[in-house]
Amino acid sequence: MKMHFCIPVSQQRPDALGGRYVLYSVYLDGYLFCRVRYSQLHRWNEQDTFSITIKTAALDIFLPDGRNIQIEILTSDTAERVLEVVSHKTGLCQELLGYFGLFLIRFRKEGKLSVMKKLADFELPYVSLRSAGMENCKVGLRKWYMDPSLDSMLMDCTAAVDLIHMQALQDIEQEWAKPTQAQRQKLEALQKEDNQTKFLELSQEVRHYGYLQLDPCTCDYPEPGCGAVLSVGNDEISCCITLPDNQTQEIIFQMSRVKCWKVTFLGTLLDVDGPQRTLNQNLELRFQYSEDSRWQWFVIYTKQAFLLSSCLKKMISEKTVKLAAENPEMQIEVPEQGKSKKCHIQQSQKDSSHFPPRKSKIEIAKADCVSGTIKEEDL
C-alpha cells in the first residue's frame, strides 16, 4: 500500500553557531511524521524528531468491545512489531496479521468514535500517539479489509472471530452498520446464544456491514457546502447527502466506475511566528466518476481524506486479488495481503490514484442518500 509524504511546512531556525537552518515538517497521510533539517531528509526518524528516549513503556491498545489491553513495548517499536505483540496477547494467529491493523482512534461525545488514521508498518505507535495533536486519542486494533466476505478467511481462528465479532457489535452500536428491525432482533437472539459464527453470517446481510464510516463532512453535490456522511466498503462509496431543503439523498458510487482520485491540502499555517509552525489541515478528496458516458468530478472536504484514500486503494487491491484468483491465467502482480511493497516519497501536496474503468451504474437509493465511482494514481 503506497503512502503519501509531503512537506507543507518549513521554518527557519537559529543554530548554535549563530547561523540559521531550515526545519522541514514531514507529513505522512495528513499527520505530522517528523521534523528534520535538509541534511537529515535521507534518514528521517520519528523518535529523534520528538526527543523520545528508547525505553520500555506500557501502551494501551483499544479493542472494538471497548476494553483496553496493556502491552509492554519499546518506544522504538514499529506498528508492525506492536501488532505482533498484540497478536501474542490476544492469541491471534500470526498468519492472519495481514487482515488487521493499528489505527489512531479518537473518542468523541456520547460514546462516538472516529477512525482518524491507519498506522503504517514502519510508524512508531508510541510516538505517533503523542504527536497526533488530538485529545482523547488511542491506538486501536481493527480489521483492515473492505470486502466483508473476507470474514470467511478468519473463521478457523477463535481470536480472530472474537475480534471481528466485537467490531460487528461496535459498528452496529455506532450505527455504521444498519440492520433492519427484523435483522436486529435475530442478531440479538444470536448474541444471547453466544453464537458468534451465525451472528457474523447474518451480519453479511446487514446494510453497510464491514464499511468504515467517516465523520460528517461537506461535498460539492448538488451544490457546494452540502453536508454528507460517507460509508466506504464492499467496492463502493455510499454517500448520504443533506440537500439544501434538509432532505437527504443517498448516492452509491461503484468503484468500478471511478477513474481516479486525488487528495489536496487546503491547509493554512497556525502559530506562524511561534517556535513550531503547525498546519491547520483542511483537506479535499476529489474523484472522477463515469455517469452516462461522461466523466465528472465529485469533491469531498474532510480531514479524513487520506484515510478515505487508503480505503479506496484497499478496495482496488482486494479486487485485484479476487480477479487474479478467478482468472489464474491473467498476469497480475498481487501485493501480499496487508504488506506494503514500498513507500514513495514526494514533496507534492496531492495524492492521486488510477485503475482501469469498468462498466457499472450509479444507484440512487429510494431512502435518503447519494452515490458514484473512483480512480487511483501512483503516489
Side-chain angles (χ1 to χ4, degrees):
M1 187 71 69
K2 299 180 179 69
M3 287 154 285
H4 177 270
F5 287 91
C6 70
I7 305 176
V9 181
S10 62
Q11 183 180 23
Q12 285 200 352
R13 304 287 297 278
D15 62 23
L17 300 178
R20 301 186 71 81
Y21 66 91
V22 177
L23 189 68
Y24 297 93
S25 294
V26 181
Y27 279 68
L28 168 62
D29 287 348
Y31 288 86
L32 181 63
F33 176 66
C34 63
R35 293 189 178 97
V36 291
R37 299 174 65 160
Y38 181 81
S39 60
Q40 300 170 315
L41 281 173
H42 69 288
R43 57 178 178 84
W44 56 40
N45 187 300
E46 279 184 276
Q47 191 168 328
D48 291 346
T49 295
F50 299 105
S51 302
I52 302 295
T53 303
I54 298 179
K55 62 180 181 180
T56 300
L59 180 66
D60 288 331
I61 303 295
F62 175 72
L63 298 180
D65 65 353
R67 293 182 297 123
N68 289 311
I69 59 170
Q70 189 174 89
I71 59 173
E72 186 176 282
I73 62 167
L74 293 177
T75 54
S76 58
D77 281 343
T78 63
E80 185 175 32
R81 171 59 183 160
V82 171
L83 187 57
E84 291 174 352
V85 175
V86 172
S87 72
H88 285 294
K89 187 89 172 183
T90 60
L92 181 62
C93 300
Q94 290 285 304
E95 60 269 22
L96 299 179
L97 284 183
Y99 292 94
F100 293 88
L102 296 177
F103 297 80
L104 288 183
I105 299 177
R106 188 175 184 183
F107 295 82
R108 302 184 182 275
K109 295 179 180 179
E110 300 176 355
K112 296 295 182 181
L113 61 84
S114 302
V115 178
M116 305 306 299
K117 169 181 168 41
K118 182 187 181 296
L119 295 176
D121 286 349
F122 58 82
E123 287 186 80
L124 313 183
Y126 183 88
V127 178
S128 296
L129 185 61
R130 282 152 182 76
S131 65
M134 295 182 289
E135 294 181 353
N136 302 318
C137 190
K138 295 182 180 180
V139 176
L141 176 67
R142 292 178 61 85
K143 65 183 184 183
W144 180 227
Y145 52 88
M146 309 306 296
D147 181 354
S149 69
L150 290 176
D151 280 1
S152 62
M153 304 297 292
L154 311 180
M155 301 310 290
D156 291 335
C157 175
T158 301
V161 172
D162 284 343
L163 287 170
I164 62 176
H165 175 250
M166 291 178 200
Q167 188 168 322
L169 288 170
Q170 183 187 69
D171 289 353
I172 292 172
E173 180 185 350
Q174 294 286 321
E175 298 182 344
W176 294 7
K178 303 169 177 66
T180 64
Q181 186 59 36
Q183 288 172 334
R184 186 180 296 274
Q185 290 174 355
K186 291 179 182 178
L187 290 169
E188 288 174 352
L190 292 170
Q191 182 65 12
K192 289 179 181 178
E193 296 172 8
D194 198 24
N195 193 331
Q196 294 182 338
T197 301
K198 290 293 185 182
F199 185 98
L200 290 169
E201 287 177 359
L202 179 57
S203 295
Q204 293 284 330
E205 302 172 12
V206 172
R207 179 171 174 258
H208 290 176
Y209 169 71
Y211 288 44
L212 190 148
Q213 182 171 301
L214 304 186
D215 293 343
C217 58
T218 58
C219 65
D220 70 343
Y221 179 91
E223 59 184 69
C226 287
V229 175
L230 273 65
S231 297
V232 190
N234 201 21
D235 213 29
E236 69 179 27
I237 307 168
S238 174
C239 187
C240 187
I241 297 175
T242 302
L243 303 174
D245 60 2
N246 288 326
Q247 293 186 359
T248 55
Q249 183 183 17
E250 181 177 18
I251 300 177
I252 308 298
F253 295 100
Q254 300 293 338
M255 285 297 295
S256 58
R257 300 186 68 186
V258 175
K259 182 181 180 183
C260 64
W261 72 86
K262 60 182 177 181
V263 175
T264 305
F265 272 106
L266 305 174
T268 55
L269 292 177
L270 300 176
D271 303 325
V272 175
D273 298 321
Q276 303 287 358
R277 300 179 81 186
T278 56
L279 188 68
N280 178 23
Q281 296 178 51
N282 296 312
L283 304 172
E284 71 167 30
L285 183 146
R286 59 177 61 215
F287 60 87
Q288 196 174 22
Y289 189 79
S290 174
E291 180 182 11
D292 299 329
S293 301
R294 60 189 178 89
W295 295 103
Q296 54 185 311
W297 288 95
F298 187 90
V299 185
I300 301 161
Y301 302 95
T302 171
K303 291 188 175 183
Q304 294 166 293
F306 285 107
L307 176 64
L308 175 57
S309 179
S310 295
C311 292
L312 304 187
K313 295 175 198 172
K314 192 68 172 175
M315 287 192 286
I316 292 173
S317 175
E318 290 171 0
K319 188 71 171 180
T320 303
V321 171
K322 183 175 289 188
L323 287 173
E326 294 172 352
N327 302 277
E329 72 282 0
M330 293 177 64
Q331 297 294 319
I332 300 178
E333 183 179 349
V334 180
E336 183 181 351
Q337 175 73 28
K339 296 296 183 179
S340 300
K341 283 287 185 181
K342 62 181 179 179
C343 60
H344 179 68
I345 298 170
Q346 59 180 33
Q347 294 187 15
S348 168
Q349 292 187 359
K350 293 186 179 180
D351 172 22
S352 306
S353 303
H354 304 294
F355 71 92
R358 293 180 294 277
K359 293 184 178 180
S360 178
K361 293 183 178 179
I362 297 181
E363 301 174 10
I364 299 184
K366 295 181 180 178
D368 339 300
C369 296
V370 185
S371 81
T373 316
I374 313 176
K375 135 190 176 183
E376 172 165 350
E377 191 173 82
D378 218 2
L379 291 181

